[in-house]
Amino acid sequence: MVRAAALAVVSCTVGSAAPEHGEGERGRGHAAAAQPQRWALWARLGGFYLVQGIVYGYGGFLLLPRLAAAEVGLWVQAAIVSLASVPWVFKLAWGPWIDAPWARRVGPARIAASATAVLAGLLALLVLVRDPASQLLLVASLWLAINVAQSLQDVATDALAFDRVAPVDRGRAWSIMLGAHHIGDGLVIAAVIAPVAARAGLTGATATTAAIVAAIAIAAGLPWRRTAAAGPRGARPDLRQAGLALRGSVRAVIFATVVFAADVLTAAISTEWLTQGLRWSPEAVAERLAWLLAPATLAGYASAAVVLSRWGARRVGAIACVLLGLAWLGFAAAVPLWRTPAFVQGFVVVQAIVTAWVYAASHAVLLDATSPQLRATQFAILTACTNVPRLWAPAVGAAAVAAVGFAGSFALCGAWQIAVALVVLWVRPVPLVGSQR
């Protein structure tokens, strides 16, 4: 909520319990991978998501602000962003391609590493654009191609997580992956690439970004031994079983569509709440909240990695939804304290940590609900469903604020999030069969 709103405002100004039933059986169904192999796998998955975060942050914090500084019109900037969003809307097309028998034989790790290498090459071509403001068509085309490669890498990486991570470890793996994305989007951009941009301009920052991405592509493409938790790769998918699996995933689709709705809605109205409700200037938002967001979110994903490995994704997901809902309800009830910056800062820390738990657990739940016959396709559908609230949340949020005010809107979102906890428990994992055991 406040976390996303603070990032939006700042970008405008600066440019042991036992595993829950079912998951324990799934974990025991896999032979445990050797610890070095498991950490190597997590490092590879984290590296791919680190690349996604770096490129995402490069576009939002460096490329677009430089175009704006060169007085490129807002409509042109919006067109570039919208064009680059097309591959993510249609990333479902990569699913059947990666689920095909030949792609299973090649393996999603090689596909993801190859896509990352292509991504580095496209960034290197972008270095050659000395004056982006005068070559907008070329910049837009390259940025579109970069996002095409990255969308392929994303779908392949998720398939790799399905194939190689034992179900009992999926929560920890997703915590690492999403945490790595956050590190790339925030820390790498702020600590490494932005200082280069300040000294050498956008060209130097782009070259640095391309070099980092190329290094990760090389490291991720090195030969490595399969883990014992590997899933099916060479067999042709049984389309009949896959169809049954898709029809049986209605619960997962409903869960994916509703789980992040309250978070998206509160994020949509929080910028207005901070700047108009509290009368905080963008500089005050940056000074009071921006420095808290990165460590709080990373602490959330780090703690989620520990908790998820002990309690299981569905249990942690339900607990996290209840905690987040209670936090919003408590926040809505504490209106007199909103004028105290320390109170808002404390809430931001709690909200960022618990939201990280919700995101990591939810992705693990969705992966558990995915069928191996169409693992890339089905998981791409489920993750696409998580973005559906972005279509309606801003309008609903504005209507809610007009009807019941900010406190009432936050309270409704809290009640919604608590109700989602029941939906988490309603989703069932796909039983393991055959070579998956």
Side-chain angles (χ1 to χ4, degrees):
M1 178 187 96
V2 179
R3 168 180 55 87
L7 284 176
V9 174
V10 171
S11 66
C12 291
T13 59
V14 298
S16 158
E20 64 185 82
H21 178 69
E23 292 190 13
E25 295 176 0
R26 290 164 70 84
R28 288 191 294 272
H30 282 258
Q35 192 69 8
Q37 293 181 30
R38 185 163 56 177
W39 278 106
L41 173 60
W42 290 342
R44 177 168 287 193
L45 292 170
F48 287 138
Y49 265 70
L50 178 66
V51 166
Q52 294 181 30
I54 290 172
V55 176
Y56 180 82
Y58 169 87
F61 290 102
L62 294 175
L63 179 61
L64 289 179
R66 290 305 174 102
L67 293 178
E71 299 183 351
V72 173
L74 184 59
W75 283 105
V76 176
Q77 297 178 49
I80 293 174
V81 172
S82 299
L83 184 64
S85 300
V86 171
W88 295 96
V89 175
F90 294 101
K91 75 172 187 175
L92 300 179
W94 293 124
W97 194 70
I98 293 176
D99 281 325
W102 74 268
R104 290 176 182 258
R105 288 190 294 269
V106 171
R110 291 191 180 93
I111 294 175
S114 300
T116 305
V118 171
L119 184 59
L122 291 169
L123 285 167
L125 290 177
L126 193 57
V127 174
L128 302 178
V129 181
R130 297 297 181 181
D131 184 10
S134 65
Q135 298 174 282
L136 290 174
L137 181 59
L138 179 57
V139 170
S141 300
L142 286 174
W143 195 239
L144 171 63
I146 285 169
N147 279 272
V148 169
Q150 189 160 251
S151 66
L152 170 60
Q153 188 249 49
D154 176 68
V155 177
T157 302
D158 293 345
L160 173 63
F162 183 94
D163 287 352
R164 299 300 181 205
V165 178
V168 72
D169 286 331
R170 283 174 177 168
R172 178 176 295 180
W174 271 107
S175 298
I176 292 171
M177 292 157 68
L178 295 175
H181 190 288
H182 183 75
I183 290 173
D185 181 19
L187 298 183
V188 174
I189 292 294
V192 179
I193 299 176
V196 174
R199 295 191 307 269
L202 186 62
T203 299
T206 306
T208 303
T209 304
I212 294 174
V213 172
I216 295 174
I218 293 171
L222 293 175
W224 63 309
R225 196 169 59 178
R226 297 182 186 180
T227 66
R233 291 178 63 178
R236 179 179 297 276
D238 186 327
L239 295 182
R240 184 184 65 84
Q241 292 183 11
L244 293 175
L246 288 173
R247 288 200 297 272
S249 66
V250 174
R251 294 185 181 187
V253 169
I254 293 174
F255 168 68
T257 305
V258 303
V259 63
F260 302 142
D263 183 62
V264 174
L265 192 150
T266 51
I269 66 176
S270 289
T271 298
E272 183 76 8
W273 171 72
L274 286 168
T275 58
Q276 300 300 321
L278 297 187
R279 299 296 179 181
W280 287 12
S281 67
E283 291 77 15
V285 174
E287 178 183 351
R288 294 170 179 173
L289 300 182
W291 62 275
L292 288 173
L293 297 176
T297 303
L298 290 177
Y301 283 121
S303 56
V306 176
V307 174
L308 282 163
S309 66
R310 295 184 178 181
W311 293 351
R314 289 170 62 241
R315 182 177 298 171
V316 172
I319 292 172
C321 284
V322 171
L323 291 177
L324 186 58
L326 290 175
W328 282 333
L329 287 173
F331 187 74
V335 175
L337 296 176
W338 287 4
R339 298 295 176 180
T340 305
F343 174 76
V344 177
Q345 289 173 320
F347 175 77
V348 166
V349 171
V350 172
Q351 184 260 347
I353 292 173
V354 180
T355 299
W357 285 29
V358 172
Y359 271 74
S362 297
H363 281 84
V365 167
L366 294 176
L367 205 64
D368 284 346
T370 299
S371 168
Q373 282 79 22
L374 286 178
R375 86 276 200 231
T377 303
Q378 188 174 358
F379 192 71
I381 291 173
L382 293 176
T383 53
C385 288
T386 64
N387 292 315
V388 170
R390 299 182 186 278
L391 301 177
W392 55 263
V396 172
V401 170
V404 297
F406 286 111
S409 300
F410 293 149
L412 289 174
C413 288
W416 174 280
Q417 198 67 48
I418 292 174
V420 171
L422 299 176
V423 185
V424 177
L425 299 175
W426 186 48
V427 178
R428 294 296 176 186
V430 174
L432 295 176
V433 295
S435 60
Q436 289 180 279
R437 292 190 178 280

